[in-house]
Amino acid sequence: MSAAAAPKVYGWCPGALRPMMSGDGLVVRVRAPLGRLSVAQARGVARLSQEYGNGLLDISARANLQMRGIREEAHEELIAGLRGLGLIDPDPRAEARRNVILAPFWQEGGDTRAIASELSAALTAATDLSLPGKFGFAVDCGETPVLQDTAADIRIERAGGQLVLRADGAETGKAVTRESAAEEALSLARWFVETGGVTDGRGRMKLHLAKGIALPAGHTAPRAIASFTAKPGIVSAGRLAALEFGQMPAATLAQLADHGEIRLTPWRMLLVEGPKDLPPLPGLILDATDPRLQVVACTGAPGCLQALSSTRSLARELAPFIPAGTRLHVSGCTKGCACPRTAPLTLTATGHNEFSLIRNGTAADQPLKTRLSADALRAAPELLREGS
């Protein structure tokens, strides 16, 4: 890709109060309090999506709900509707700071829910704290952490029977208590800012530590090391249902609300509280062996202004040919928004229906093959395996 055609990097994520324009209209990202939608909220969001947008909803990798295709002139009315549902922050800066992901398997009265609630309130009130738009927190206090592969800059985890506050990228953390965790997390965020972690409004903790910046005293507690893969099926709090490419029609959300409260997850899945069975609905993947679970694809063209080609139809057709245990990432440009980390196989669009193949890399890495047409890949999926 030439420098002139390089995708635009915004350096921030859309919110509800600060939406982002895309190829299909405004993207309005809703940060549901504690990652949970009540039955009334889910039905209300579905109705608003159909009334003011194109009726498509995404679940982001940060467990937020994205409303797509919102008409620019309807944004103010949409916000009024979301505010009536209790889904709007006091102002755009508070919305940006309250970037907290909590492990979806939390229980009432447990550490995860209590700490996430206190931290969210503290971040909303911290009007003097200016964090980068992508800076986030993960609260993951179950017996085994489940968010270690989810992007976050400050983590609160359980390790060796104690709660540990850890800066992303650090091998050790600080032992905290349920009562002190939120305050300590806020202090670590302030330390990040004060030690030069933010440049031109951007910055991530892992990159900051990679410069050799020493953490504050007390970060000596061992970290937790865990591996977790989310799959559709019954879990302690209800049932996990995956979304094809993280997207569903608004009508599906409204129908799911008939079965209970809904928790948003960073795995592009929904956790419906309570039921053991869910009906097959458009956009849902209920079978843990469905090959589409091995494929990640961004919105692609024309829905994204940065994308050079459509992505999801190709990803859907290639899914059955991906070997078990392998993952395919189909990206509309070199930004690789749907999968910023390395993947065993990546197809990056370089033009209309034309892709480069990267093995064990990101969408921006050096390709193994170039100028692969979508038609050629459909006709000969084995092209993905050649040269392995």
Side-chain angles (χ1 to χ4, degrees):
M1 179 182 293
S2 67
K8 182 178 180 180
V9 179
Y10 290 94
W12 54 277
C13 295
L17 297 173
R18 189 190 183 195
M20 184 180 288
M21 180 58 71
S22 194
D24 55 358
L26 291 177
V27 176
V28 173
R29 182 174 291 183
V30 178
R31 290 179 176 169
L34 300 179
R36 187 192 205 191
L37 294 173
S38 69
V39 170
Q41 287 173 330
R43 289 172 177 162
V45 166
R47 175 181 56 79
L48 293 170
S49 171
Q50 293 168 320
E51 186 173 352
Y52 298 119
N54 61 12
L56 292 177
L57 298 169
D58 296 334
I59 303 297
S60 77
R62 297 193 177 193
N64 295 314
L65 188 72
Q66 288 190 166
M67 309 176 76
R68 297 201 64 92
I70 301 300
R71 302 188 306 278
E72 200 167 2
E73 70 276 9
H75 181 244
E76 188 172 331
E77 291 178 78
L78 171 67
I79 294 301
L82 291 172
R83 182 172 284 113
L85 293 171
L87 294 173
I88 294 297
D89 289 275
D91 57 69
R93 291 188 63 192
E95 177 183 67
R97 286 193 305 273
R98 191 181 59 82
N99 191 4
V100 180
I101 303 173
L102 69 163
F105 308 132
W106 54 263
Q107 297 178 343
E108 295 286 353
D111 289 340
T112 294
R113 191 180 192 282
I115 292 171
S117 181
E118 186 175 344
L119 178 58
S120 296
L123 286 166
T124 300
T127 56
D128 62 325
L129 180 60
S130 295
L131 292 171
K134 291 182 178 290
F135 195 95
F137 301 77
V139 184
D140 191 11
C141 304
E143 289 303 316
T144 302
V146 297
L147 298 180
Q148 293 196 338
D149 288 333
T150 299
D153 297 274
I154 293 176
R155 302 175 183 275
I156 302 169
E157 304 166 330
R158 189 175 302 281
Q162 65 180 349
L163 294 176
V164 175
L165 172 75
R166 182 169 65 87
D168 192 45
E171 290 303 312
T172 55
K174 183 176 184 179
V176 295
T177 66
R178 174 168 169 163
E179 293 72 28
S180 69
E183 181 181 350
E184 292 283 4
L186 213 60
S187 295
L188 186 58
R190 294 186 188 280
W191 168 88
F192 170 80
V193 175
E194 292 165 1
T195 55
V198 184
T199 302
D200 296 329
R202 300 182 185 181
R204 302 303 301 268
M205 180 68 80
K206 190 172 184 177
L207 294 175
H208 189 50
L209 296 185
K211 299 174 185 176
I213 307 296
L215 283 164
H219 283 250
T220 58
R223 60 166 291 186
I225 299 177
S227 177
F228 175 80
T229 300
K231 296 180 179 179
I234 297 171
V235 295
S236 59
R239 187 179 179 99
L240 277 175
L243 306 183
E244 185 189 50
F245 308 124
Q247 189 172 87
M248 64 182 160
T252 291
L253 179 64
Q255 288 174 277
L256 285 175
D258 293 340
H259 298 271
E261 313 278 312
I262 295 171
R263 302 184 191 183
L264 310 176
T265 84
W267 312 306
R268 297 187 169 93
M269 298 183 182
L270 298 173
L271 195 164
V272 185
E273 296 180 8
K276 297 188 182 300
D277 293 304
L278 291 173
L281 295 170
L284 288 194
I285 300 176
L286 302 176
D287 182 356
T289 65
D290 193 301
R292 290 172 294 173
L293 296 172
Q294 294 179 233
V295 181
V296 179
C298 63
T299 299
C304 175
L305 294 172
Q306 310 294 316
L308 300 177
S309 177
S310 61
T311 56
R312 290 181 173 173
S313 61
L314 177 62
R316 187 179 295 111
E317 293 178 56
L318 291 178
F321 301 98
I322 306 304
T326 298
R327 177 177 250 197
L328 171 65
H329 171 207
V330 183
S331 181
C333 72
T334 56
K335 286 171 66 177
C337 296
C339 181
R341 300 188 180 192
T342 62
L345 297 170
T346 298
L347 289 172
T348 301
T350 54
H352 177 63
N353 285 334
E354 185 176 272
F355 294 83
S356 289
L357 171 64
I358 298 106
R359 195 177 299 283
N360 297 318
T362 70
D365 284 339
Q366 187 67 30
L368 177 69
K369 298 178 183 178
T370 59
R371 307 197 68 176
L372 292 170
S373 73
D375 289 340
L377 288 162
R378 289 184 174 101
E382 62 270 16
L383 287 170
L384 294 172
R385 300 191 294 273
E386 290 178 3
S388 60

